[in-house]
Amino acid sequence: MHNQKDRPKQKINTKTLTRLLAYLSIYKYRLIIVVICILASSVTSSLAVLFTRTLIDDFIVPLLGESNPVFTGLMHALFTLSGIYAIGILASLIYTRIMVGVTEGTIRRIRDEMFSKMQSLPISYFDSRTHGDIMSLYTNDADTLNAMISQSIVSFVSSATSMLAVFFSMLSLSIWLSLAVIVLMFFILQAVGLIAGRSGKHFVEQQSTIAALNAYVEEMIHGQKVVKVFNREQANMQEMRVKNAAWYQASSLANGYAHSMMPMMNAFGYLLYIVLALVGAFMAINGTANLSLSGTDVMTLGMIASFLTLSRNFINPISQIANQFNFIIRALAGAERIFDFLDVQPESDEGKVTLVNITEQDGKIAETTEQTGKWAWKLPLGENRVEYVRLEGRVALDHVDFSYVEGKQVLNDITLYAEPGQKLAFVGATGAGKTTITNLINRFYDIDEGKIRYDGITINKIKKADLRRSLGVVLQDVQLFTGTVMENIRFGHPTASDEECIAAAKLANAHSFIRMLPEGYQTVLKGDGSSLSQGQRQLLSIARAAISNPPVMVLDEATSSIDTRTEALVQSGMDKLMEGRTTFVIAHRLSTIKNADVIMVLENGKIIERGNHEKLLQEKGVYYQLYMGSFELE
């Protein structure tokens, strides 16, 4: 445990607060009404207490000495007091309702901006962070921000306003008693400052530890099968206890300090109440001259009663401000994490070449907005001149070097050429660089050295969205989304008709099993399609790629996690998908790439062998050894 003396007092991050206020500025007119209503509520509260003096001295005390008291004046006074309270209640209702709209609107905008930012971030950002930590931004951090805007800020402003109103009200009754309050408040504020500083630091820690806890829980939910296979339940429970204990320690210290504020302030309040009652009674009994803003007079019972009530109304806002200060620090810690996320540099895209639909007549290419199924690259040449290059699927890597981390090279001098319609296969051990090559073609990452050309165009010059639109990807790990089977297929081409989706499913050999589902194509998939087998999920993935109708396909070990019988069905679907398309295949089972035009064997980021199946077998190199080992295993 850290030494408490070593912990600095936590201060409000003014930069984060200023940025947050900029989000609230679009509601400035509503906020002006809120401030007016807060002022009205605070003033009416003080007026009601001051009116208590008039009620006691002018209406109640005189009636005590009469044998036949007339209550008409008292009733009018009580109605007046009720009216004052009614105005305060109405003002509180108005600003509370307004702040609900302001709060929800602000959080909605922030969440929309976070999600938009997430779509623009590079793959490398998500590779370096846990999903649970990112999710914590949308949940814990956004929720604490919600609470701060809707409650803490309003309470802070309301309490500060009430303090000022009450203080001037006390001065209007008795300056001597007010001085007694100021002296006692000096010592109270020292204690409040000490506790607020301690708890604020722990609230910041609470936000970071809950993010780590959420990340771990989400990871364990996704990995339950692996956990059970390797009997990791006890070990994971122990690690969970450690992370939970870290959150528990930060949270209990933060909330322990914060929640001790109210009892402490209540105790101080009672002490102040007793001191003021004694001083006021002494002044009244001895006829001491009472100095106030309105002049000098004699201390009365009504003055003492009103001042005692005001003293309670003065100390309670101090407690509220101290509590809200801690919650504001906690929320600003969450806001800082959110703003750090929003400030992450988006994926850069300097490309200007776009992908357009075309028509051809007499050998001339013309751009069109219709879906013709024919595509071309549109190259701007300046001065309103453009050039069209047919999209054919010719891909070339020329002496490419790449490293994920500087100084640790993953690919070294990779050179390869894929002609339109060719099937290229990558073979090699895990970590050899097979998937990395396909990530570079997609521009998920940018190369260190060399060139990658697509139909003769350097891919850096192509807009990333257009580049990726021309590529179809079937991954080993299939990602399905909550929705119908039809919607999951249409994910690859949002404007595709039902008939086109069904045609794509037939092409991928998925149509037969889809018809057997309870609602056919309208069957709703949940939990990443967990109700389907791995092979069925893979067939849907192939259908989704087929509907996008790309000229270039990337198949990343798409059959490695399914059984041999299902593999034949999936392989048949992929063969249909690959017809007439340039295809890059990352092979897990060598039997699936025998018919590849070119097979490249990678080792430590280098291509050590290349050729077709027969040629590589004749060379009796690494591929031969891999294939023969594979054959013997089968």
Side-chain angles (χ1 to χ4, degrees):
M1 183 183 296
H2 296 286
N3 190 332
Q4 298 299 326
K5 294 181 180 180
D6 296 335
R7 294 187 184 276
K9 291 183 180 180
Q10 190 66 23
K11 296 181 180 180
I12 287 179
N13 188 326
T14 54
K15 183 179 178 181
T16 302
L17 181 60
T18 301
R19 188 166 176 180
L20 179 61
L21 291 176
Y23 279 89
L24 295 173
S25 63
I26 63 173
Y27 300 103
K28 56 185 177 183
Y29 296 114
R30 295 192 202 179
L31 293 175
I32 290 173
I33 296 174
V34 168
V35 172
I36 292 172
C37 288
I38 289 176
L39 288 171
S41 177
S42 300
V43 170
T44 53
S45 177
S46 297
L47 287 176
V49 175
L50 288 175
F51 193 77
T52 304
R53 170 193 173 183
T54 304
L55 188 68
I56 294 174
D57 291 344
D58 296 348
F59 295 99
I60 295 178
V61 173
L63 291 176
L64 296 176
E66 295 184 10
S67 57
N68 295 309
V70 178
F71 294 99
T72 305
L74 178 61
M75 293 302 296
H76 287 156
L78 289 174
F79 278 121
T80 302
L81 184 62
S82 299
I84 294 173
Y85 277 119
I87 293 172
I89 292 171
L90 181 61
S92 298
L93 177 63
I94 291 172
Y95 78 68
T96 301
R97 291 294 298 270
I98 291 175
M99 283 307 298
V100 169
V102 171
T103 302
E104 300 305 327
T106 302
I107 298 302
R108 181 193 64 186
R109 181 183 169 194
I110 288 175
R111 281 200 175 111
D112 284 344
E113 287 188 12
M114 282 197 294
F115 196 79
S116 297
K117 167 63 74 170
M118 194 168 69
Q119 308 311 307
S120 69
L121 294 178
I123 293 294
S124 58
Y125 180 87
F126 301 98
D127 288 344
S128 60
R129 288 161 180 80
T130 62
H131 295 169
D133 184 54
I134 297 173
M135 277 301 302
S136 189
L137 297 172
Y138 289 91
T139 53
N140 295 309
D141 295 322
D143 287 343
T144 56
L145 199 54
N146 186 320
M148 185 190 83
I149 298 172
S150 63
Q151 299 172 25
S152 299
I153 291 180
V154 173
S155 180
F156 195 93
V157 174
S158 177
S159 298
T161 306
S162 295
M163 281 183 60
L164 289 174
V166 169
F167 184 70
F168 282 107
S169 298
M170 289 193 299
L171 290 175
S172 71
L173 289 176
S174 174
I175 291 178
W176 303 128
L177 291 180
S178 298
L179 288 174
V181 171
I182 292 173
V183 172
L184 287 172
M185 286 308 303
F186 173 78
F187 296 102
I188 293 173
L189 290 176
Q190 293 298 312
V192 168
L194 179 64
I195 293 177
R198 295 284 179 86
S199 61
K201 177 67 175 178
H202 293 299
F203 273 124
V204 174
E205 289 180 355
Q206 179 181 317
Q207 288 304 105
S208 60
T209 53
I210 192 65
L213 184 63
N214 282 346
Y216 186 74
V217 170
E218 182 176 352
E219 192 175 63
M220 290 303 102
I221 290 173
H222 285 296
Q224 270 303 297
K225 288 183 181 178
V226 177
V227 169
K228 294 186 182 302
V229 165
F230 290 98
N231 296 315
R232 289 282 302 178
E233 293 91 341
Q234 293 301 320
N236 289 348
M237 285 168 62
Q238 181 58 35
E239 189 167 351
M240 174 66 183
R241 290 190 189 100
V242 171
K243 293 182 182 295
N244 208 16
W247 168 81
Y248 165 77
Q249 182 178 357
S251 182
S252 58
L253 286 172
N255 289 286
Y257 280 122
H259 292 163
S260 67
M261 193 80 68
M262 188 64 72
M264 184 190 73
M265 294 303 292
N266 284 336
F268 279 129
Y270 288 126
L271 176 63
L272 181 64
Y273 199 88
I274 292 170
V275 170
L276 292 175
L278 290 174
V279 173
F282 177 82
M283 291 177 65
I285 292 172
N286 291 280
T288 305
N290 176 51
L291 180 64
S292 67
L293 293 179
S294 58
T296 304
D297 50 14
V298 179
M299 183 69 70
T300 66
L301 179 61
M303 285 182 182
I304 297 174
S306 294
F307 201 95
L308 290 176
T309 304
L310 285 172
S311 71
R312 297 295 297 167
N313 291 350
F314 185 71
I315 200 167
N316 284 337
I318 295 176
S319 175
Q320 289 292 331
I321 288 174
N323 272 328
Q324 298 311 323
F325 180 81
N326 288 318
F327 287 114
I328 288 173
I329 287 176
R330 175 186 175 188
L332 288 179
E336 189 172 359
R337 279 169 42 84
I338 290 173
F339 293 148
D340 286 344
F341 176 76
L342 292 174
D343 290 339
V344 174
Q345 282 296 110
E347 189 174 22
S348 60
D349 189 0
E350 65 281 3
K352 296 182 180 179
V353 178
T354 56
L355 189 64
V356 296
N357 281 283
I358 60 167
T359 57
E360 290 187 81
Q361 190 172 6
D362 299 329
K364 293 183 178 181
I365 297 176
E367 184 179 345
T368 179
T369 56
E370 297 179 5
Q371 298 289 332
T372 61
K374 294 181 180 180
W375 302 85
W377 300 111
K378 182 180 179 181
L379 287 71
L381 301 178
E383 298 181 2
N384 298 321
R385 293 187 304 113
V386 296
E387 179 184 350
Y388 295 99
V389 176
R390 286 186 187 84
L391 174 58
E392 296 178 334
R394 182 179 291 102
V395 180
L397 278 70
D398 188 7
H399 300 288
V400 169
D401 294 339
F402 173 74
S403 56
Y404 289 104
V405 179
E406 188 175 353
K408 295 183 179 180
Q409 201 161 348
V410 177
L411 296 181
N412 185 11
D413 196 28
I414 298 295
T415 298
L416 61 88
Y417 303 94
E419 294 297 320
Q422 273 192 329
K423 179 179 177 182
L424 278 72
F426 299 114
V427 176
T430 300
K434 306 184 296 296
T435 300
T436 299
I437 292 176
T438 59
N439 284 341
L440 296 181
I441 295 173
N442 276 287
R443 279 200 74 191
F444 290 151
Y445 298 89
D446 286 324
I447 60 178
D448 299 334
E449 297 289 341
K451 296 285 184 183
I452 301 178
R453 294 184 177 87
Y454 196 159
D455 289 329
I457 305 167
T458 303
I459 62 170
N460 289 27
K461 296 180 180 179
I462 303 173
K463 282 188 176 294
K464 287 184 177 179
D466 294 84
L467 172 67
R468 291 166 187 168
R469 192 189 308 164
S470 71
L471 299 167
V473 181
V474 179
L475 300 173
Q476 175 184 355
D477 298 321
V478 180
Q479 178 66 59
L480 299 178
F481 300 94
T482 299
T484 65
V485 171
M486 185 72 76
E487 289 169 344
N488 270 276
I489 295 174
R490 190 177 282 120
F491 194 86
H493 183 15
T495 60
S497 65
D498 288 355
E499 291 73 19
E500 290 173 322
C501 291
I502 293 172
K506 290 179 177 178
L507 178 70
N509 289 335
H511 180 67
S512 56
F513 91 80
I514 293 175
R515 287 191 299 110
M516 302 299 292
L517 296 175
E519 303 294 331
Y521 282 87
Q522 299 307 315
T523 300
V524 176
L525 302 179
K526 295 181 180 179
D528 196 17
S530 57
S531 59
L532 303 178
S533 70
Q534 182 64 28
Q536 290 172 331
R537 296 170 74 250
Q538 195 62 270
L539 290 175
L540 286 181
S541 176
I542 295 170
R544 188 162 59 192
I547 195 67
S548 65
N549 194 28
V552 177
M553 285 296 305
V554 176
L555 308 176
D556 189 350
E557 302 194 49
T559 62
S560 63
S561 57
I562 55 180
D563 59 85
T564 307
R565 181 179 177 183
T566 307
E567 180 191 350
L569 191 64
V570 174
Q571 189 63 46
S572 173
M574 289 195 301
D575 288 341
K576 294 177 185 177
L577 184 61
M578 289 185 289
E579 286 180 8
R581 293 184 171 92
T582 307
T583 307
F584 295 93
V585 181
I586 296 175
H588 178 76
R589 295 174 179 169
L590 301 185
S591 59
T592 63
I593 59 167
K594 291 180 183 178
N595 61 344
D597 297 298
V598 181
I599 299 172
M600 280 167 277
V601 182
L602 279 79
E603 187 175 281
N604 297 325
K606 297 181 180 180
I607 299 176
I608 59 173
E609 295 178 10
R610 72 176 76 205
N612 58 26
H613 178 69
E614 290 75 15
K615 178 177 179 294
L616 292 177
L617 286 181
Q618 290 173 3
E619 291 178 357
K620 294 190 176 181
V622 174
Y623 180 81
Y624 173 82
Q625 295 174 2
L626 289 171
Y627 183 77
M628 295 308 294
S630 173
F631 182 80
E632 289 173 4
L633 287 173
E634 291 178 352

